[in-house]
Amino acid sequence: MLIPHDTRIALDTVVDLVNTAPESEQVEGLADVAALYDFARSHLISGVDELTQRDLKAVQGVRTQFAEIFAAPDSRTAAELVNELVAAAGTTPQLTDHDGYDWHVHYFAPGASIADHLAADCGMALAFIVVTGEQERLRRCEAPDCGRAFVDLSRNRSRRYCDSRTCGNRLHVAAYRARRKEAAG
């Protein structure tokens, strides 16, 4: 699956945003405006000026909508959720080249709030996944003590675990040890 760099960056951003929710981390990752500033800086979100409590609440709301897209049971439902999100953001596609990146598309309107910026750009990245018939790539980690979101970009769509806590390695090691113990006993 060929994904342009701007779409990949937006997919990484939406995953990281969804994973700030208490359901993923057991703690609110966007607890205050300072955390929102940190998120914007670490994800190089352009056009972010002064952020307020209102921005924080709006981004938390967009995050909830993204989580619903990851949980959508089928592509039709995912498409409806993406359409609602992107329409509410008032998208204004424009070609741009900045910060050392070649030409790419921004979908948010100039001067958009951070919530609309995320809804538009990340929503369109998710739309790309749905349009290509790859909605099943939007997943949650299958480790029993984890629920982090990720986009499975493996060639054969076989990824089952997130990377953040080495969930896959922990479970594979546990299964190996259980098999060794059973074989020895």
Side-chain angles (χ1 to χ4, degrees), residues 81-99:
L81 292 168
V82 168
N83 285 340
E84 288 174 22
L85 182 69
V86 171
T91 58
T92 306
Q94 53 189 331
L95 286 170
T96 184
D97 63 340
H98 62 89
D99 296 333

mmCIF file of all heavy atoms in Angstrom, residues 81-99:
data_model
loop_
_atom_site.group_PDB
_atom_site.id
_atom_site.type_symbol
_atom_site.label_atom_id
_atom_site.label_comp_id
_atom_site.label_asym_id
_atom_site.label_seq_id
_atom_site.Cartn_x
_atom_site.Cartn_y
_atom_site.Cartn_z
ATOM 1 N N LEU A 81 -18.912 8.291 9.501
ATOM 2 C CA LEU A 81 -18.266 8.999 10.611
ATOM 3 C C LEU A 81 -17.196 9.962 10.100
ATOM 4 O O LEU A 81 -17.089 11.100 10.575
ATOM 5 C CB LEU A 81 -17.657 7.995 11.592
ATOM 6 C CG LEU A 81 -18.662 7.143 12.367
ATOM 7 C CD1 LEU A 81 -17.952 5.997 13.085
ATOM 8 C CD2 LEU A 81 -19.450 7.988 13.354
ATOM 9 N N VAL A 82 -16.401 9.527 9.116
ATOM 10 C CA VAL A 82 -15.386 10.395 8.533
ATOM 11 C C VAL A 82 -16.050 11.586 7.851
ATOM 12 O O VAL A 82 -15.622 12.736 8.010
ATOM 13 C CB VAL A 82 -14.486 9.625 7.539
ATOM 14 C CG1 VAL A 82 -13.622 10.583 6.723
ATOM 15 C CG2 VAL A 82 -13.608 8.618 8.269
ATOM 16 N N ASN A 83 -17.116 11.325 7.096
ATOM 17 C CA ASN A 83 -17.810 12.421 6.402
ATOM 18 C C ASN A 83 -18.325 13.473 7.377
ATOM 19 O O ASN A 83 -18.186 14.675 7.137
ATOM 20 C CB ASN A 83 -18.970 11.877 5.560
ATOM 21 C CG ASN A 83 -18.490 11.199 4.300
ATOM 22 O OD1 ASN A 83 -17.376 11.420 3.837
ATOM 23 N ND2 ASN A 83 -19.342 10.363 3.728
ATOM 24 N N GLU A 84 -18.917 13.041 8.473
ATOM 25 C CA GLU A 84 -19.413 13.980 9.487
ATOM 26 C C GLU A 84 -18.276 14.821 10.061
ATOM 27 O O GLU A 84 -18.393 16.046 10.192
ATOM 28 C CB GLU A 84 -20.092 13.223 10.632
ATOM 29 C CG GLU A 84 -21.423 12.612 10.296
ATOM 30 C CD GLU A 84 -21.962 11.750 11.439
ATOM 31 O OE1 GLU A 84 -21.543 11.948 12.604
ATOM 32 O OE2 GLU A 84 -22.794 10.871 11.163
ATOM 33 N N LEU A 85 -17.197 14.161 10.393
ATOM 34 C CA LEU A 85 -16.046 14.824 11.005
ATOM 35 C C LEU A 85 -15.431 15.853 10.068
ATOM 36 O O LEU A 85 -15.203 17.006 10.445
ATOM 37 C CB LEU A 85 -15.011 13.762 11.394
ATOM 38 C CG LEU A 85 -13.755 14.209 12.087
ATOM 39 C CD1 LEU A 85 -14.079 14.690 13.494
ATOM 40 C CD2 LEU A 85 -12.767 13.062 12.150
ATOM 41 N N VAL A 86 -15.186 15.444 8.835
ATOM 42 C CA VAL A 86 -14.536 16.323 7.864
ATOM 43 C C VAL A 86 -15.458 17.478 7.464
ATOM 44 O O VAL A 86 -15.010 18.626 7.336
ATOM 45 C CB VAL A 86 -14.063 15.507 6.644
ATOM 46 C CG1 VAL A 86 -13.589 16.404 5.523
ATOM 47 C CG2 VAL A 86 -12.955 14.540 7.057
ATOM 48 N N ALA A 87 -16.730 17.221 7.293
ATOM 49 C CA ALA A 87 -17.679 18.284 6.929
ATOM 50 C C ALA A 87 -17.753 19.334 8.036
ATOM 51 O O ALA A 87 -17.788 20.537 7.755
ATOM 52 C CB ALA A 87 -19.056 17.696 6.645
ATOM 53 N N ALA A 88 -17.779 18.898 9.277
ATOM 54 C CA ALA A 88 -17.862 19.835 10.397
ATOM 55 C C ALA A 88 -16.612 20.706 10.504
ATOM 56 O O ALA A 88 -16.671 21.827 11.004
ATOM 57 C CB ALA A 88 -18.082 19.080 11.701
ATOM 58 N N ALA A 89 -15.488 20.193 10.002
ATOM 59 C CA ALA A 89 -14.231 20.947 10.071
ATOM 60 C C ALA A 89 -14.143 22.018 8.991
ATOM 61 O O ALA A 89 -13.283 22.899 9.072
ATOM 62 C CB ALA A 89 -13.040 19.996 9.946
ATOM 63 N N GLY A 90 -15.017 21.969 7.997
ATOM 64 C CA GLY A 90 -14.987 22.967 6.928
ATOM 65 C C GLY A 90 -13.712 22.890 6.115
ATOM 66 O O GLY A 90 -12.921 23.823 6.102
ATOM 67 N N THR A 91 -13.498 21.779 5.471
ATOM 68 C CA THR A 91 -12.250 21.561 4.742
ATOM 69 C C THR A 91 -12.085 22.537 3.576
ATOM 70 O O THR A 91 -13.042 22.932 2.930
ATOM 71 C CB THR A 91 -12.167 20.124 4.193
ATOM 72 O OG1 THR A 91 -13.294 19.897 3.357
ATOM 73 C CG2 THR A 91 -12.144 19.113 5.305
ATOM 74 N N THR A 92 -10.836 22.911 3.360
ATOM 75 C CA THR A 92 -10.453 23.780 2.257
ATOM 76 C C THR A 92 -9.126 23.257 1.714
ATOM 77 O O THR A 92 -8.057 23.715 2.118
ATOM 78 C CB THR A 92 -10.273 25.236 2.748
ATOM 79 O OG1 THR A 92 -11.454 25.636 3.424
ATOM 80 C CG2 THR A 92 -10.003 26.176 1.601
ATOM 81 N N PRO A 93 -9.169 22.255 0.830
ATOM 82 C CA PRO A 93 -7.910 21.661 0.353
ATOM 83 C C PRO A 93 -7.016 22.687 -0.343
ATOM 84 O O PRO A 93 -7.487 23.534 -1.094
ATOM 85 C CB PRO A 93 -8.374 20.603 -0.653
ATOM 86 C CG PRO A 93 -9.791 20.332 -0.294
ATOM 87 C CD PRO A 93 -10.338 21.609 0.257
ATOM 88 N N GLN A 94 -5.726 22.607 -0.017
ATOM 89 C CA GLN A 94 -4.767 23.481 -0.661
ATOM 90 C C GLN A 94 -3.403 22.804 -0.715
ATOM 91 O O GLN A 94 -3.009 22.130 0.230
ATOM 92 C CB GLN A 94 -4.678 24.815 0.062
ATOM 93 C CG GLN A 94 -4.401 24.694 1.546
ATOM 94 C CD GLN A 94 -4.539 26.016 2.258
ATOM 95 O OE1 GLN A 94 -4.329 27.063 1.681
ATOM 96 N NE2 GLN A 94 -4.888 25.964 3.529
ATOM 97 N N LEU A 95 -2.707 22.960 -1.833
ATOM 98 C CA LEU A 95 -1.361 22.430 -1.988
ATOM 99 C C LEU A 95 -0.383 23.348 -1.285
ATOM 100 O O LEU A 95 -0.508 24.580 -1.349
ATOM 101 C CB LEU A 95 -1.003 22.340 -3.469
ATOM 102 C CG LEU A 95 -1.668 21.212 -4.229
ATOM 103 C CD1 LEU A 95 -1.436 21.382 -5.722
ATOM 104 C CD2 LEU A 95 -1.140 19.875 -3.763
ATOM 105 N N THR A 96 0.608 22.754 -0.634
ATOM 106 C CA THR A 96 1.606 23.554 0.077
ATOM 107 C C THR A 96 2.931 22.794 0.118
ATOM 108 O O THR A 96 2.951 21.570 -0.008
ATOM 109 C CB THR A 96 1.116 23.893 1.503
ATOM 110 O OG1 THR A 96 2.059 24.746 2.129
ATOM 111 C CG2 THR A 96 0.896 22.662 2.340
ATOM 112 N N ASP A 97 4.002 23.506 0.272
ATOM 113 C CA ASP A 97 5.317 22.896 0.506
ATOM 114 C C ASP A 97 6.013 23.738 1.572
ATOM 115 O O ASP A 97 6.332 24.896 1.371
ATOM 116 C CB ASP A 97 6.142 22.805 -0.784
ATOM 117 C CG ASP A 97 6.479 24.149 -1.376
ATOM 118 O OD1 ASP A 97 5.794 25.141 -1.054
ATOM 119 O OD2 ASP A 97 7.441 24.224 -2.157
ATOM 120 N N HIS A 98 6.194 23.166 2.721
ATOM 121 C CA HIS A 98 6.794 23.897 3.839
ATOM 122 C C HIS A 98 7.572 22.948 4.722
ATOM 123 O O HIS A 98 7.443 21.729 4.620
ATOM 124 C CB HIS A 98 5.719 24.638 4.654
ATOM 125 C CG HIS A 98 4.724 23.708 5.286
ATOM 126 N ND1 HIS A 98 4.909 23.159 6.529
ATOM 127 C CD2 HIS A 98 3.539 23.224 4.835
ATOM 128 C CE1 HIS A 98 3.871 22.373 6.821
ATOM 129 N NE2 HIS A 98 3.034 22.403 5.805
ATOM 130 N N ASP A 99 8.365 23.505 5.585
ATOM 131 C CA ASP A 99 9.128 22.755 6.589
ATOM 132 C C ASP A 99 9.935 21.604 5.998
ATOM 133 O O ASP A 99 10.057 20.543 6.604
ATOM 134 C CB ASP A 99 8.199 22.232 7.692
ATOM 135 C CG ASP A 99 7.541 23.348 8.482
ATOM 136 O OD1 ASP A 99 8.137 24.444 8.547
ATOM 137 O OD2 ASP A 99 6.446 23.132 9.026
#
